Short mmCIF file of all heavy atoms in Angstrom, two decimals:
data_model
loop_
_atom_site.label_atom_id
_atom_site.label_comp_id
_atom_site.label_asym_id
_atom_site.label_seq_id
_atom_site.Cartn_x
_atom_site.Cartn_y
_atom_site.Cartn_z
N LEU A 1 81.19 -79.68 -54.22
CA LEU A 1 82.37 -79.35 -53.42
C LEU A 1 82.88 -77.94 -53.74
O LEU A 1 83.34 -77.23 -52.84
CB LEU A 1 83.47 -80.38 -53.66
CG LEU A 1 83.19 -81.76 -53.07
CD1 LEU A 1 84.17 -82.78 -53.64
CD2 LEU A 1 83.27 -81.71 -51.56
N ALA A 2 82.78 -77.52 -54.99
CA ALA A 2 83.20 -76.17 -55.36
C ALA A 2 82.30 -75.13 -54.70
O ALA A 2 82.77 -74.07 -54.26
CB ALA A 2 83.20 -76.01 -56.87
N ILE A 3 81.00 -75.41 -54.64
CA ILE A 3 80.07 -74.50 -53.96
C ILE A 3 80.48 -74.33 -52.50
O ILE A 3 80.44 -73.22 -51.96
CB ILE A 3 78.62 -75.03 -54.07
CG1 ILE A 3 78.12 -74.86 -55.50
CG2 ILE A 3 77.70 -74.31 -53.08
CD1 ILE A 3 76.81 -75.57 -55.77
N ARG A 4 80.91 -75.43 -51.88
CA ARG A 4 81.35 -75.38 -50.48
C ARG A 4 82.78 -74.87 -50.34
O ARG A 4 83.30 -74.77 -49.24
CB ARG A 4 81.26 -76.78 -49.87
CG ARG A 4 79.82 -77.26 -49.75
CD ARG A 4 79.73 -78.66 -49.20
NE ARG A 4 80.49 -78.77 -47.97
CZ ARG A 4 81.01 -79.91 -47.51
NH1 ARG A 4 80.83 -81.03 -48.18
NH2 ARG A 4 81.67 -79.94 -46.39
N GLN A 5 83.42 -74.55 -51.46
CA GLN A 5 84.80 -74.09 -51.51
C GLN A 5 85.75 -75.09 -50.87
O GLN A 5 86.66 -74.74 -50.12
CB GLN A 5 84.94 -72.71 -50.88
CG GLN A 5 84.16 -71.66 -51.63
CD GLN A 5 84.34 -70.28 -51.05
OE1 GLN A 5 84.94 -70.08 -50.00
NE2 GLN A 5 83.80 -69.29 -51.74
N ASP A 6 85.51 -76.36 -51.18
CA ASP A 6 86.32 -77.46 -50.67
C ASP A 6 87.36 -77.82 -51.73
O ASP A 6 87.03 -78.05 -52.90
CB ASP A 6 85.42 -78.67 -50.39
CG ASP A 6 86.14 -79.80 -49.69
OD1 ASP A 6 87.35 -79.98 -49.90
OD2 ASP A 6 85.47 -80.52 -48.93
N ARG A 7 88.60 -77.87 -51.32
CA ARG A 7 89.70 -78.16 -52.24
C ARG A 7 89.56 -79.50 -52.94
O ARG A 7 90.09 -79.71 -54.03
CB ARG A 7 91.01 -78.11 -51.45
CG ARG A 7 92.23 -78.32 -52.28
CD ARG A 7 93.46 -78.15 -51.41
NE ARG A 7 94.65 -78.34 -52.20
CZ ARG A 7 95.72 -78.96 -51.79
NH1 ARG A 7 95.76 -79.45 -50.57
NH2 ARG A 7 96.76 -79.09 -52.56
N TRP A 8 88.81 -80.44 -52.36
CA TRP A 8 88.66 -81.77 -52.94
C TRP A 8 87.78 -81.78 -54.19
O TRP A 8 87.60 -82.82 -54.82
CB TRP A 8 88.15 -82.75 -51.89
CG TRP A 8 89.24 -83.07 -50.92
CD1 TRP A 8 89.45 -82.49 -49.71
CD2 TRP A 8 90.32 -83.98 -51.13
NE1 TRP A 8 90.58 -83.00 -49.13
CE2 TRP A 8 91.14 -83.92 -49.98
CE3 TRP A 8 90.68 -84.84 -52.16
CZ2 TRP A 8 92.29 -84.69 -49.85
CZ3 TRP A 8 91.82 -85.61 -52.03
CH2 TRP A 8 92.60 -85.51 -50.89
N CYS A 9 87.26 -80.61 -54.56
CA CYS A 9 86.52 -80.54 -55.81
C CYS A 9 87.43 -80.83 -57.00
O CYS A 9 86.99 -81.42 -58.00
CB CYS A 9 85.84 -79.18 -55.98
SG CYS A 9 86.94 -77.78 -56.24
N TRP A 10 88.70 -80.47 -56.89
CA TRP A 10 89.62 -80.63 -58.03
C TRP A 10 89.94 -82.07 -58.36
O TRP A 10 89.93 -82.43 -59.55
CB TRP A 10 90.89 -79.80 -57.79
CG TRP A 10 90.56 -78.36 -57.67
CD1 TRP A 10 90.68 -77.58 -56.55
CD2 TRP A 10 89.99 -77.52 -58.67
NE1 TRP A 10 90.22 -76.31 -56.81
CE2 TRP A 10 89.79 -76.24 -58.11
CE3 TRP A 10 89.61 -77.72 -60.00
CZ2 TRP A 10 89.25 -75.18 -58.82
CZ3 TRP A 10 89.07 -76.66 -60.72
CH2 TRP A 10 88.90 -75.41 -60.13
N PRO A 11 90.19 -82.95 -57.41
CA PRO A 11 90.35 -84.37 -57.79
C PRO A 11 89.09 -84.96 -58.40
O PRO A 11 89.17 -85.78 -59.32
CB PRO A 11 90.71 -85.05 -56.47
CG PRO A 11 91.30 -83.99 -55.62
CD PRO A 11 90.57 -82.74 -56.00
N ALA A 12 87.92 -84.54 -57.91
CA ALA A 12 86.67 -85.03 -58.50
C ALA A 12 86.56 -84.57 -59.94
O ALA A 12 86.17 -85.35 -60.83
CB ALA A 12 85.48 -84.55 -57.68
N ALA A 13 86.91 -83.33 -60.21
CA ALA A 13 86.86 -82.80 -61.57
C ALA A 13 87.85 -83.54 -62.48
O ALA A 13 87.53 -83.89 -63.62
CB ALA A 13 87.17 -81.31 -61.58
N ALA A 14 89.06 -83.76 -61.98
CA ALA A 14 90.08 -84.44 -62.78
C ALA A 14 89.67 -85.88 -63.08
O ALA A 14 89.84 -86.35 -64.22
CB ALA A 14 91.42 -84.42 -62.06
N ALA A 15 89.11 -86.57 -62.10
CA ALA A 15 88.70 -87.95 -62.32
C ALA A 15 87.55 -88.02 -63.33
O ALA A 15 87.54 -88.88 -64.22
CB ALA A 15 88.28 -88.59 -60.99
N SER A 16 86.60 -87.11 -63.21
CA SER A 16 85.49 -87.06 -64.16
C SER A 16 86.01 -86.80 -65.57
O SER A 16 85.63 -87.48 -66.52
CB SER A 16 84.50 -85.97 -63.76
OG SER A 16 83.47 -85.85 -64.71
N ALA A 17 86.87 -85.82 -65.70
CA ALA A 17 87.42 -85.49 -67.02
C ALA A 17 88.25 -86.63 -67.59
O ALA A 17 88.23 -86.88 -68.80
CB ALA A 17 88.26 -84.21 -66.93
N ALA A 18 88.97 -87.36 -66.73
CA ALA A 18 89.77 -88.49 -67.21
C ALA A 18 88.87 -89.59 -67.78
O ALA A 18 89.19 -90.19 -68.82
CB ALA A 18 90.63 -89.04 -66.08
N ILE A 19 87.76 -89.83 -67.11
CA ILE A 19 86.83 -90.85 -67.62
C ILE A 19 86.26 -90.39 -68.96
O ILE A 19 86.21 -91.15 -69.93
CB ILE A 19 85.71 -91.12 -66.60
CG1 ILE A 19 86.29 -91.79 -65.36
CG2 ILE A 19 84.62 -92.00 -67.22
CD1 ILE A 19 85.33 -91.88 -64.19
N TYR A 20 85.84 -89.12 -69.02
CA TYR A 20 85.30 -88.60 -70.28
C TYR A 20 86.36 -88.62 -71.38
O TYR A 20 86.04 -88.89 -72.54
CB TYR A 20 84.76 -87.20 -70.09
CG TYR A 20 83.38 -87.15 -69.51
CD1 TYR A 20 83.12 -86.42 -68.36
CD2 TYR A 20 82.32 -87.82 -70.10
CE1 TYR A 20 81.85 -86.36 -67.82
CE2 TYR A 20 81.04 -87.78 -69.56
CZ TYR A 20 80.82 -87.04 -68.43
OH TYR A 20 79.56 -86.99 -67.89
N LEU A 21 87.60 -88.33 -71.03
CA LEU A 21 88.68 -88.37 -72.02
C LEU A 21 88.73 -89.75 -72.69
O LEU A 21 88.78 -89.86 -73.92
CB LEU A 21 90.02 -88.03 -71.37
CG LEU A 21 91.22 -87.92 -72.28
CD1 LEU A 21 92.19 -86.91 -71.72
CD2 LEU A 21 91.94 -89.23 -72.47
N VAL A 22 88.72 -90.79 -71.88
CA VAL A 22 88.76 -92.16 -72.42
C VAL A 22 87.52 -92.45 -73.26
O VAL A 22 87.62 -92.99 -74.36
CB VAL A 22 88.91 -93.18 -71.27
CG1 VAL A 22 88.75 -94.60 -71.78
CG2 VAL A 22 90.25 -93.01 -70.57
N LEU A 23 86.36 -92.07 -72.75
CA LEU A 23 85.12 -92.34 -73.48
C LEU A 23 85.09 -91.62 -74.83
O LEU A 23 84.70 -92.20 -75.85
CB LEU A 23 83.91 -91.94 -72.64
CG LEU A 23 83.66 -92.78 -71.39
CD1 LEU A 23 82.53 -92.17 -70.56
CD2 LEU A 23 83.34 -94.22 -71.76
N PHE A 24 85.51 -90.36 -74.84
CA PHE A 24 85.51 -89.61 -76.09
C PHE A 24 86.55 -90.15 -77.05
O PHE A 24 86.30 -90.23 -78.26
CB PHE A 24 85.75 -88.13 -75.83
CG PHE A 24 84.58 -87.42 -75.21
CD1 PHE A 24 84.77 -86.46 -74.24
CD2 PHE A 24 83.27 -87.70 -75.59
CE1 PHE A 24 83.70 -85.80 -73.66
CE2 PHE A 24 82.19 -87.05 -75.02
CZ PHE A 24 82.41 -86.08 -74.06
N ALA A 25 87.72 -90.52 -76.54
CA ALA A 25 88.75 -91.08 -77.41
C ALA A 25 88.28 -92.38 -78.05
O ALA A 25 88.45 -92.60 -79.26
CB ALA A 25 90.04 -91.29 -76.64
N ARG A 26 87.66 -93.23 -77.24
CA ARG A 26 87.13 -94.50 -77.77
C ARG A 26 85.96 -94.28 -78.72
O ARG A 26 85.74 -95.08 -79.62
CB ARG A 26 86.70 -95.41 -76.63
CG ARG A 26 87.83 -95.99 -75.86
CD ARG A 26 87.32 -96.94 -74.80
NE ARG A 26 88.41 -97.49 -74.02
CZ ARG A 26 88.26 -98.21 -72.93
NH1 ARG A 26 87.04 -98.48 -72.48
NH2 ARG A 26 89.30 -98.67 -72.28
N GLY A 27 85.23 -93.19 -78.52
CA GLY A 27 84.08 -92.89 -79.36
C GLY A 27 84.43 -92.16 -80.65
O GLY A 27 83.54 -91.78 -81.39
N GLY A 28 85.70 -91.95 -80.89
CA GLY A 28 86.12 -91.29 -82.12
C GLY A 28 85.92 -89.78 -82.11
O GLY A 28 85.70 -89.18 -83.16
N LEU A 29 86.00 -89.18 -80.95
CA LEU A 29 85.86 -87.73 -80.81
C LEU A 29 87.16 -87.15 -80.25
O LEU A 29 87.25 -86.77 -79.07
CB LEU A 29 84.68 -87.41 -79.88
CG LEU A 29 83.33 -87.90 -80.36
CD1 LEU A 29 82.30 -87.84 -79.26
CD2 LEU A 29 82.88 -87.11 -81.58
N PRO A 30 88.19 -87.05 -81.09
CA PRO A 30 89.51 -86.67 -80.58
C PRO A 30 89.58 -85.26 -80.00
O PRO A 30 90.27 -85.04 -79.01
CB PRO A 30 90.41 -86.80 -81.80
CG PRO A 30 89.50 -86.68 -82.97
CD PRO A 30 88.20 -87.27 -82.53
#
């Protein structure tokens, strides 16, 4: 979406990062 310069790339990025945040926190990687 960023390549296409579509504004909806940002919610996709935030959702991906939110999932990783939880996974890293649970994995002991603060």
Side-chain angles (χ1 to χ4, degrees):
L1 289 167
I3 289 170
R4 293 178 52 205
Q5 297 182 353
D6 188 329
R7 183 176 180 219
W8 287 97
C9 69
W10 299 113
S16 176
I19 293 169
Y20 279 125
L21 185 149
V22 171
L23 293 173
F24 287 141
R26 288 183 181 171
L29 299 166

